Amino acid sequence: MEKFNAFIKNSFNKIRASLPANNNEKVNSFRQVAIENFLKKGLLLGKLENRDNFPIEKEISDDYEFQLQPTPYQPLDSIFKCKIKGIASNTFAFFNGWYLHSGNPITIFPNGMIIGSLIAAIECYPDLVFSRLGKHRLAGNNSLNALNEAFFTDGIFIYIPDNVVVEHPMQVVNLISSDQKLLVNNHNLIMVGKNSNFSLVYCNDSIHSENSFANNVTEIYIEENTIVNFCKMENKDAKSIMLEHVVVEQKSHSQFLSNAITFNAGYVRNQFHVTLAEPFAEARVNGLYLVDKKQVVDNHVFVNHAAPDCTSHQLYKGILDDEAIANFNGHILVSQDAQKTAAFQTNRNITLTDEAKITTKPFLEIYADDVQCSHGATVGQLNDTEMFYLRSRGICERNARMLLMYAFAVEVTSFIDIINLRSRLNEMIQRRLKGELSLCDQCFLNCSDRKNFSFEIDVSLL
Amino acid sequence: MLLKIEDLCVSIKGKEILKEFNLEINRGEVHAIMGPNGTGKSTLASVIAGKDIYDVTSGKIIYKDRNLLEMSVEDRAREGIFIGFQYPVEIPGVSMNTFMKTAINEIRQYRHEEPLTAAQFLKLMEEKKKVVELTAKLSNRSVNEGFSGGEKKKNEIFQMAMLNPELSILDETDSGLDIDALRVVANGVTHLRSENNAIVVITHYQRLLDYIIPDKVHVLYDGKIVKTGNKELALELEEKGYDWVKQEYERKKELQNGKI
Ligand SMILES: Nc1ncnc2c1ncn2[C@@H]1O[C@H](COP(=O)(O)OP(=O)(O)O)[C@@H](O)[C@H]1O
Ligand SMILES: [Mg+2]
């Protein structure tokens, strides 16, 4: 990793003056603090849990390129077929770390919502942005975040004012496609005011980007009484590396529901860091990973109960085929004042082969005495008795397996209230299990064009 | 002949369960198999269904002139074999609708028939639910999940009605049912009885046989059928228990051994 750190140091000196918003004092010092933090620690991959299982160090090289200019504008449709029909009302896209737009980097909605490029927002709404940007550092910093903050080119900025209920989810697509070996840092900032309700579908895709390295940070601040639904999906190339850190801070009576769904990965690391900062906040941090071949997925969840009367649930489920590797690390911290905490964690895995590897590690750190906490982890195969029962009614082995895997997987999505979104996700899960998703050369959301297959589970009836 | 079992020997984990078991069943017949617990009644059903935890050490099962033991579990079902299990399994997350629709359409595909449309399927569901007086909405209920014992048994008969099998083996479908549920199950079975189909009921009680008059009643003991009679035999067994059959069998065995 020495070489990588030296590479980063050199690169920063070389390109710092070309990074976006380089005329902004605050941004410059933000980057400066970040690079210093990074260089102090270096890329702390050595500290990753169970690293023996993860050959990521071998995959990270020291010859990445940084794309310092946006690619000339092309409509998203022309490069990427993504259709969440009737689900997302608006789609915002990033291409190799740059906001994709035709002259309008920021959209202001009639209800006061502001959505668009973070770099543009820094210019137009500096006070709003700097009231929060990087605040998560207080909540625990790490070197990957520092790397992101030093180099970020752009990211989505979302501001939802108080008392706004956004009926349809919004969508953000992070797309990487390049002949070069790109290191892309997106930094997202999402601020949701009081008594509001907001849903975001956040997709990370790559097309023809074999060796890209994405290192994203998403900060989400949720005010009192507000509900935020965050659905995050990955469908990545086999050789791409994607590290994503989502940092969430919740005020009183707020609700946060996240689903981190990994359909295909090279190496994907999803890290959620949720702080329940005020009483009666509720977090449900869920995840699903369906991986095969030599894919690696690494889920880290840290739920920080910093205030009393808060509730958190973690439900992570995975199906691993071939030689896929998964890791789950769930950490629940209950601070001394966080009395009447209820915190639950479940991680369940199905391995379809002997070669698939799963490591699951719960970690409960509890300093309050009046708490209700539980954790459970299982690794198993499909249930023989259930398989037999299905087959004894005429269902072939393949479809019986499908039905059971599907049933296993959709427990995770069952917590999503937005019916359209849930059924579209379930459709994708089904396609992934049938081995079709990985065949789609582009977006996995591009389902509507595909031919019907002879066997279909009727999702609408489930 | 629909089913012919010849000198079937089955063991599990080295323990012999069925020993030179023989049975012949024709279309249109109803057979009852009775016998003490642990004698291998469920084993017989499972071997016919194709459960692979049992070792068939010798013997033959011929079904519709084919070697049943060479057929996959699903092909047996597609060829018309249905087992009403003694302990139906719960499958969380798989709805009854999906389960039945998948099963029916796979069976139809096997027979080179067009799949049912959604409307045809729903109509069939409603029709067959009536057979077992199932009122619950099944569409979003997981297979057997949270079903009471009686509901699970009714659900087996419901599936039987949906799949319209040629050979049904109902393994203690009447156990643990109250009188009402028993009547429902029995009516369901009677409804499905036809010249073309055969039904085997494995039971401890003759009360089911009041509704479903069997052509033959067999007693399974020591791995084989040791006595065969008609409905009267079931009555007699319920009154007197199995001891006399056992004694009769042991005496016969001693005699045979003596002769050798
Ligand atoms: N999975 C198993 N493992 C070991 N022994 C078994 C298993 N299943 C059945 N047996 C044995 O096989 C014998 C027959 O069982 P079973 O067919 O269930 O009897 P019945 O249905 O007549 O009550 C019993 O002695 C039982 O203990
Ligand atoms: Mg039994």
Side-chain angles (χ1 to χ4, degrees):
Chain A
M1 286 293 99
E2 283 304 308
K3 271 168 92 180
F4 182 77
N5 297 338
F7 161 72
I8 289 300
K9 190 176 174 179
N10 290 338
S11 303
F12 189 73
N13 289 334
K14 209 157 60 191
I15 69 169
R16 65 187 309 171
S18 324
L19 286 166
N22 57 14
N23 54 358
N24 185 306
E25 274 301 298
K26 279 185 169 158
V27 172
N28 285 341
S29 74
F30 184 76
R31 293 192 193 278
Q32 185 58 36
V33 171
I35 192 75
E36 282 166 18
N37 277 340
F38 177 80
L39 292 174
K40 242 183 272 168
K41 293 179 182 170
L43 192 61
L44 280 181
L45 292 174
K47 285 268 173 67
L48 296 189
E49 310 286 336
N50 307 306
R51 54 193 278 261
D52 292 349
N53 272 352
F54 298 102
I56 182 178
E57 292 184 358
K58 275 184 256 145
E59 308 292 336
I60 290 186
S61 61
D62 53 7
D63 55 354
Y64 289 103
E65 303 286 338
F66 294 88
Q67 183 173 328
L68 296 169
Q69 290 292 327
T71 313
Y73 175 75
Q74 291 166 280
L76 181 64
D77 293 350
S78 67
I79 34 178
F80 176 72
K81 289 183 201 151
C82 177
K83 292 168 188 156
I84 321 186
K85 267 195 195 151
I87 295 176
S89 54
N90 295 73
T91 296
F92 307 91
F94 290 81
F95 190 72
N96 295 341
W98 293 88
Y99 188 57
L100 199 63
H101 67 96
S102 55
N104 224 345
I106 284 204
T107 311
I108 301 167
F109 291 79
N111 59 10
M113 291 192 300
I114 306 171
I115 303 184
S117 145
L118 177 65
I119 293 295
I122 286 171
E123 219 168 281
C124 309
Y125 308 98
D127 294 345
L128 197 56
V129 170
F130 285 102
S131 70
R132 289 288 186 274
L133 186 73
K135 195 179 160 210
H136 68 85
R137 281 177 177 165
L138 303 173
N141 198 1
N142 73 27
S143 65
L144 292 168
N145 289 12
L147 179 67
N148 170 281
E149 288 168 4
F151 287 93
F152 77 98
T153 42
D154 208 343
I156 192 80
F157 172 74
I158 298 178
Y159 170 74
I160 312 291
D162 295 349
N163 310 310
V164 169
V165 173
V166 189
E167 206 179 318
H168 297 289
M170 300 275 175
Q171 186 193 17
V172 170
V173 177
N174 276 335
L175 196 59
I176 298 185
S177 176
S178 174
D179 305 335
Q180 289 176 319
K181 207 167 161 182
L182 285 186
L183 171 52
V184 176
N185 293 277
N186 276 24
H187 195 102
N188 306 308
L189 178 61
I190 301 170
M191 300 161 62
V192 189
K194 293 175 196 168
N195 312 315
S196 292
N197 190 328
F198 177 66
S199 302
L200 183 69
V201 182
Y202 179 87
C203 307
N204 284 298
D205 290 76
S206 56
I207 33 180
H208 326 300
S209 68
E210 282 282 286
N211 294 300
S212 68
F213 178 5
N215 176 45
N216 303 334
V217 173
T218 301
E219 299 180 59
I220 306 178
Y221 298 93
I222 307 171
E223 300 299 321
E224 293 157 45
N225 247 334
T226 278
I227 300 174
V228 172
N229 236 300
F230 182 69
C231 183
K232 179 179 183 312
M233 289 180 272
E234 281 98 34
N235 203 30
K236 300 287 283 184
D237 280 344
K239 279 190 178 160
S240 65
I241 296 174
M242 202 203 72
L243 313 177
E244 176 117 13
H245 197 160
V246 180
V247 188
V248 184
E249 187 190 271
Q250 290 185 247
K251 295 285 177 60
S252 69
H253 295 276
S254 66
Q255 289 174 36
F256 175 65
L257 168 67
S258 73
N259 280 279
I261 303 183
T262 306
F263 285 114
N264 277 297
Y267 175 99
V268 163
R269 175 176 156 101
N270 267 317
Q271 198 167 359
F272 275 80
H273 184 135
V274 179
T275 301
L276 300 156
E278 292 183 359
F280 299 103
E282 222 180 292
R284 190 178 277 281
V285 187
N286 289 352
L288 175 69
Y289 37 98
L290 307 173
V291 284
D292 57 9
K293 303 191 193 80
K294 288 180 184 284
Q295 303 178 352
V296 180
V297 58
D298 188 7
N299 280 293
H300 290 243
V301 181
F302 175 49
V303 177
N304 176 9
H305 280 263
D309 299 300
C310 291
T311 306
S312 70
H313 296 265
Q314 298 169 35
L315 174 66
Y316 274 73
K317 295 182 100 172
I319 302 177
L320 283 76
D321 201 354
D322 305 324
E323 295 161 65
I325 293 172
N327 179 40
F328 175 76
N329 261 276
H331 181 177
I332 299 171
L333 169 66
V334 182
S335 70
Q336 207 170 350
D337 325 326
Q339 299 297 355
K340 300 223 177 328
T341 284
F344 311 99
Q345 180 191 90
T346 307
N347 176 228
R348 302 208 184 289
N349 299 280
I350 290 179
T351 52
L352 301 176
T353 64
D354 291 341
E355 288 73 37
K357 281 201 201 80
I358 164 87
T359 325
T360 170
K361 215 184 204 180
F363 177 32
L364 306 188
E365 194 183 351
I366 299 171
Y367 300 104
D369 39 37
D370 184 9
V371 300
Q372 197 192 343
C373 283
S374 75
H375 67 85
T378 55
V379 180
Q381 286 83 42
L382 289 175
N383 183 310
D384 285 344
T385 320
E386 294 175 3
M387 278 292 291
F388 177 72
Y389 191 77
L390 294 174
R391 291 180 64 202
S392 78
R393 300 304 186 233
I395 299 174
C396 70
E397 198 168 345
R398 176 174 181 268
N399 285 341
R401 286 162 75 94
M402 273 277 311
L403 283 173
L404 294 182
M405 290 193 290
Y406 182 78
F408 175 85
V410 296
E411 187 194 350
V412 174
T413 52
S414 70
F415 292 97
I416 297 173
D417 288 334
I418 307 160
I419 291 164
N420 282 344
L421 177 59
R422 186 175 62 215
S423 57
R424 180 51 61 96
L425 284 173
N426 288 349
E427 217 172 280
M428 286 190 242
I429 290 169
Q430 183 192 329
R431 289 167 51 77
R432 175 67 179 99
L433 293 174
K434 283 199 256 176
E436 287 157 12
L437 215 50
S438 54
L439 299 181
C440 288
D441 49 358
Q442 300 200 325
C443 175
F444 52 83
L445 296 169
N446 177 24
C447 325
S448 45
D449 291 346
R450 303 278 156 164
K451 68 179 172 77
N452 282 327
F453 295 87
S454 60
F455 170 73
E456 284 284 349
I457 293 181
D458 197 342
V459 177
S460 63
L461 295 174
L462 292 172
Chain B
M1 195 168 303
L2 186 60
L3 181 80
K4 185 176 167 100
I5 304 180
E6 256 180 59
D7 296 330
L8 187 73
C9 295
V10 174
S11 60
I12 184 162
K13 295 172 190 155
K15 182 177 161 191
E16 271 192 296
I17 311 291
L18 298 180
K19 305 169 194 168
E20 300 190 351
F21 179 94
N22 288 284
L23 183 66
E24 289 181 10
I25 296 171
N26 293 302
R27 290 185 194 270
E29 290 178 351
V30 172
H31 291 230
I33 298 180
M34 304 181 80
N37 276 327
T39 46
K41 301 183 295 299
S42 295
T43 302
L44 176 67
S46 296
V47 169
I48 292 172
K51 194 159 185 153
D52 61 7
I53 59 169
Y54 299 96
D55 301 315
V56 177
T57 50
S58 66
K60 276 197 258 185
I61 305 181
I62 306 298
Y63 172 72
K64 298 206 287 195
D65 298 325
R66 287 180 61 183
N67 180 354
L68 186 76
L69 295 172
E70 276 177 1
M71 291 162 69
S72 70
V73 177
E74 51 270 33
D75 279 355
R76 297 180 196 204
R78 292 161 177 177
E79 285 292 347
I81 290 182
F82 178 90
I83 312 291
F85 291 102
Q86 188 175 1
Y87 305 108
V89 7
E90 298 191 11
I91 311 182
V94 176
S95 76
M96 275 305 294
N97 258 16
T98 308
F99 173 41
M100 280 294 101
K101 194 173 180 187
T102 310
I104 284 186
N105 282 342
E106 277 202 52
I107 292 171
R108 293 180 68 90
Q109 193 179 9
Y110 179 84
R111 296 177 184 161
H112 306 289
E113 293 165 1
E114 286 292 305
L116 292 186
T117 64
Q120 288 170 323
F121 173 75
L122 290 176
K123 190 167 158 252
L124 185 68
M125 285 280 276
E126 288 312 308
E127 200 182 299
K128 300 304 179 187
K129 271 163 72 175
K130 287 201 193 97
V131 172
V132 287
E133 297 176 28
L134 255 175
T135 44
K137 218 176 152 246
L138 288 178
S139 55
N140 37 24
R141 284 190 77 178
S142 292
V143 177
N144 290 323
E145 193 186 31
F147 285 30
S148 69
E151 275 181 313
K152 282 182 185 165
K153 297 295 173 78
K154 276 192 195 177
N155 193 17
E156 294 294 285
I157 303 300
F158 167 69
Q159 292 172 42
M160 174 178 165
M162 289 291 289
L163 302 178
N164 193 21
E166 288 164 80
L167 173 65
S168 306
I169 299 172
L170 305 177
D171 191 359
E172 299 204 22
T173 306
D174 55 341
S175 296
L177 295 186
D178 60 29
I179 282 292
D180 271 350
L182 182 74
R183 180 187 49 78
V184 169
V185 165
N187 286 345
V189 175
T190 312
H191 177 90
L192 297 165
R193 185 174 185 173
S194 87
E195 276 309 296
N196 234 343
N197 302 338
I199 299 174
V200 178
V201 288
I202 295 172
T203 180
H204 286 294
Y205 315 101
Q206 77 86 30
R207 57 179 194 169
L208 180 66
L209 306 179
D210 281 342
Y211 297 90
I212 314 165
I213 315 291
D215 298 296
K216 284 179 179 164
V217 175
H218 309 279
V219 179
L220 181 62
Y221 178 68
D222 193 27
K224 52 178 82 64
I225 286 169
V226 296
K227 197 170 181 66
T228 295
N230 57 16
K231 188 178 176 295
E232 306 308 316
L233 177 60
L235 266 172
E236 199 176 347
L237 288 168
E238 186 152 297
E239 255 167 49
K240 302 200 270 182
Y242 292 105
D243 282 351
W244 64 277
V245 185
K246 291 184 197 172
Q247 281 160 13
E248 202 179 282
Y249 168 70
E250 298 296 348
R251 215 175 306 128
K252 215 160 81 187
K253 209 160 105 178
E254 273 167 29
L255 268 171
Q256 271 176 0
N257 286 346
K259 273 181 196 159
I260 290 165

